[in-house]
């Protein structure tokens, strides 16, 4: 059972389900027989709730643990250095391993620590948010620079991903929405059936069943994984994972990081991109049904009124993905058929003005 992610540097398994961390010990014994030390990096929210569980399933290994601040506060030079200092003091060596236990922030930080400590030691992702299904796969690891998010990082793949659904129950609603928006994105860029399944079955993010969780996470991971491995052959398709992100990132940045979750901003960006797709590419899609569905799930889909449209456009141009001063959008010819399209400023400004969500 389980999924495999294929990349040029390595193939690695992803296990999704209730209780999968019970298998982590035997995985380590089998794949890493000469393991010297295990360091769990987690944040306060996750550590307080679940660290003792993880430590106890790994008791044979006497794991070390290091707790970092929650969320984005973990992805700083200072915390990065503290992790390295801890690892050095505890004498981790090249046969030691890091376990990233938390959401995407802990995953990005821990992965970057693993990538750079002694020029790279193995690490495993143990995601605890819905969003982390996206960040745990694909090998992008990073910390932030005061001048920009995720500016300092590496491509570094984990040895495995152990996604235990038991850790997800405590996830706050805004974080659920944040992660679920990425699942919707994955469906829209690649799989009409999956999209229809989501729309039909997911009507309350606070009451997801185990089956719903595991189906959507596995499916989302498989889609992310396929775009990542396809990108190694056909460069550029990874960009399609940015559906909703051009405007989404600008909204996140303008609102101030932390004011709106990543996925909630991306959802606004997606609705906007879908509207442009209908207008410019003749996408046939029941957009009003889509809007009603996501509003029922609690998403706000209008652009917050205090955000200035010119400034949003300025931000979109600053994006590391925009080229030559033009704003690139991922749009859809059809569901499952994404394309990149350059949108000129004047048109974009008009569209933002007209957009009501
Ligand atoms: P996060 O790690 O900041 O977690 C969100 C919040 O939820 C935090 O406060 C955290 O402490 C808390 N939390 C985590 N798990 C919990 C649980 N089970 N119960 C209760 N609270 C819990 O954020 P995220 O949304 O998982 O990830 C966002 C980060 O991921 C960003 O830094 C982003 O840049 C990064 N990211 C990376 C990639 C990539 O490809 N590497 C892709 C997308 C996002
Ligand atoms: Zn995203």
């Amino acid at each position: 059972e389980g999924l495999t992610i294929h990349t040029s540097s390595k193939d690695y398994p992803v296990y999704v389900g209730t209780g999968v961390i019970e298998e982590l010990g035997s995985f380590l014994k089998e794949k890493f027989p000469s393991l010297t030390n295990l360091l769990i990096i987690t944040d306060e929210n996750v550590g307080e709730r679940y660290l003792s569980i993880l430590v106890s399933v790994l008791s044979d290994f006497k794991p070390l643990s290091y707790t970092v601040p929650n969320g984005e506060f973990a992805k700083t030079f200072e915390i990065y250095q503290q992790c390295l200092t801890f690892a050095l003091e505890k004498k981790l060596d090249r046969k030691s391993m890091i376990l990233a236990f938390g959401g995407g922030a802990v995953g990005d930080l821990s992965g970057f620590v693993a990538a750079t400590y002694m020029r790279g030691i193995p690490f495993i992702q143990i995601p605890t948010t819905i969003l982390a299904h996206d960040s745990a796969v694909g090998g992008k690891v990073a910390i932030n620079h005061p001048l920009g998010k995720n500016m300092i990082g590496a491509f570094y793949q984990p040895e495995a991903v152990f996604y235990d659904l038991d850790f997800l129950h405590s996830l706050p609603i805004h974080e659920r929405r944040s992660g679920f928006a990425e699942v919707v994105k994955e469906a829209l860029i690649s799989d009409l059936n999956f999209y229809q399944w989501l729309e039909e079955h997911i009507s309350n993010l606070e009451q997801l069943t185990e089956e719903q969780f595991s189906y959507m996470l596995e499916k989302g991971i498989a889609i992310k994984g396929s775009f990542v491995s396809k990108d190694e052959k056909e460069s550029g398709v990874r960009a399609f994972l940015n559906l909703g992100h051009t405007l989404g990132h600008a909204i996140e940045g303008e609102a101030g990081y932390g004011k709106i979750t990543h996925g909630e901003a991306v959802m606004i960006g997606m609705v906007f991109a879908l509207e442009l797709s209908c207008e410019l590419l003749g996408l046939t899609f029941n957009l009003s049904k889509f809007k009603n569905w996501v509003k029922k799930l609690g998403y706000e889909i209008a652009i917050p009124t205090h955000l200035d449209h010119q400034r949003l456009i300025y931000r979109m141009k600053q994006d590391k993905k925009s080229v030559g001063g033009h704003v690139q959008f991922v749009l859809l010819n059809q569901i499952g058929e994404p394309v990149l399209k350059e949108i000129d400023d004047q048109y974009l400004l008009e569209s933002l003005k007209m957009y009501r969500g």
Side-chain angles (χ1 to χ4, degrees), residues 93 107 118 228 249 333 337:
D93 61 22
M118 299 190 168
V228 168
H249 279 148
N333 271 323
E337 229 183 273

Side-chain angles (χ1 to χ4, degrees), residues 15-268:
Y15 304 102
V16 181
T18 300
V20 297
I21 54 153
E22 312 280 343
E23 309 302 319
L24 180 52
S26 48
F27 176 88
L28 292 173
K29 280 177 189 162
E30 192 193 321
K31 301 279 157 90
F32 297 90
S34 49
L35 196 64
T36 51
N37 244 324
L38 261 186
L39 169 59
I40 302 166
I41 298 181
T42 190
D43 72 12
E44 285 162 4
N45 283 332
V46 177
E48 178 179 294
R49 289 178 173 86
Y50 306 117
L51 182 60
S52 61
I53 298 174
L54 185 59
V55 168
S56 86
V57 301
L58 296 171
S59 58
D60 288 358
F61 300 86
K62 301 196 174 48
L64 298 160
S65 63
Y66 192 76
T67 302
V68 298
N70 295 323
E72 235 30 52
F73 297 106
K75 291 175 61 175
T76 65
F77 276 95
E78 192 194 349
I79 301 297
Y80 168 64
Q81 182 173 350
Q82 285 174 15
C83 291
L84 295 173
T85 304
F86 185 83
L88 287 165
E89 283 172 356
K90 299 293 178 186
K91 308 216 174 335
L92 265 71
D93 61 22
R94 305 203 60 192
K95 293 202 164 130
S96 302
M97 178 180 289
I98 288 177
L99 303 179
F101 187 36
V106 165
D108 280 10
L109 166 76
S110 312
F112 188 55
V113 171
T116 50
Y117 186 75
M118 299 190 168
R119 300 195 186 82
I121 63 171
F123 86 114
I124 286 178
Q125 296 267 17
I126 309 172
T128 65
T129 63
I130 298 178
L131 190 125
H133 83 275
D134 177 356
S135 56
V137 166
K140 285 188 182 177
V141 297
I143 58 171
N144 302 326
H145 187 280
L147 294 178
K149 202 167 156 0
N150 296 328
M151 286 297 167
I152 314 299
F155 277 97
Y156 197 66
Q157 306 291 342
E159 300 300 323
V161 180
F162 281 78
Y163 215 140
D164 198 319
L165 304 178
D166 268 344
F167 298 132
L168 295 174
H169 300 297
S170 53
L171 201 59
I173 184 64
H174 284 285
E175 301 302 339
R176 288 172 187 243
R177 280 189 207 118
S178 186
F180 186 71
E182 303 281 7
V183 178
V184 173
K185 173 199 78 181
E186 284 142 2
L188 290 173
I189 60 173
S190 75
D191 190 335
L192 179 61
N193 288 328
F194 180 37
Y195 168 71
Q196 286 168 337
W197 183 90
L198 291 171
E199 202 201 59
E200 205 171 300
H201 293 88
I202 308 299
S203 56
N204 184 344
L205 292 175
E206 284 178 283
Q207 285 164 13
L208 295 169
T209 66
E210 206 170 298
E211 288 70 30
Q212 291 171 335
F213 259 130
S214 62
Y215 182 65
M216 71 189 202
L217 293 174
E218 280 184 20
K219 202 76 184 152
I221 289 168
I223 293 168
K224 169 95 191 240
S226 80
F227 275 88
V228 168
S229 36
K230 259 192 268 171
D231 197 64
E232 294 184 331
K233 294 172 215 117
E234 180 192 339
S235 88
V237 300
R238 190 167 183 155
F240 297 143
L241 293 164
N242 287 321
L243 176 66
H245 284 60
T246 311
L247 178 58
H249 279 148
I251 290 173
E252 258 188 298
E254 265 312 280
Y257 286 102
K259 292 281 192 268
I260 177 168
T261 64
H262 173 70
E264 288 174 301
V266 166
M267 183 58 85
I268 302 171

Side-chain angles (χ1 to χ4, degrees), residues 329-341:
F329 269 82
V330 179
L331 300 182
L332 300 178
N333 271 323
Q334 287 309 331
I335 302 304
E337 229 183 273
V339 285
L340 273 181
K341 188 138 173 68

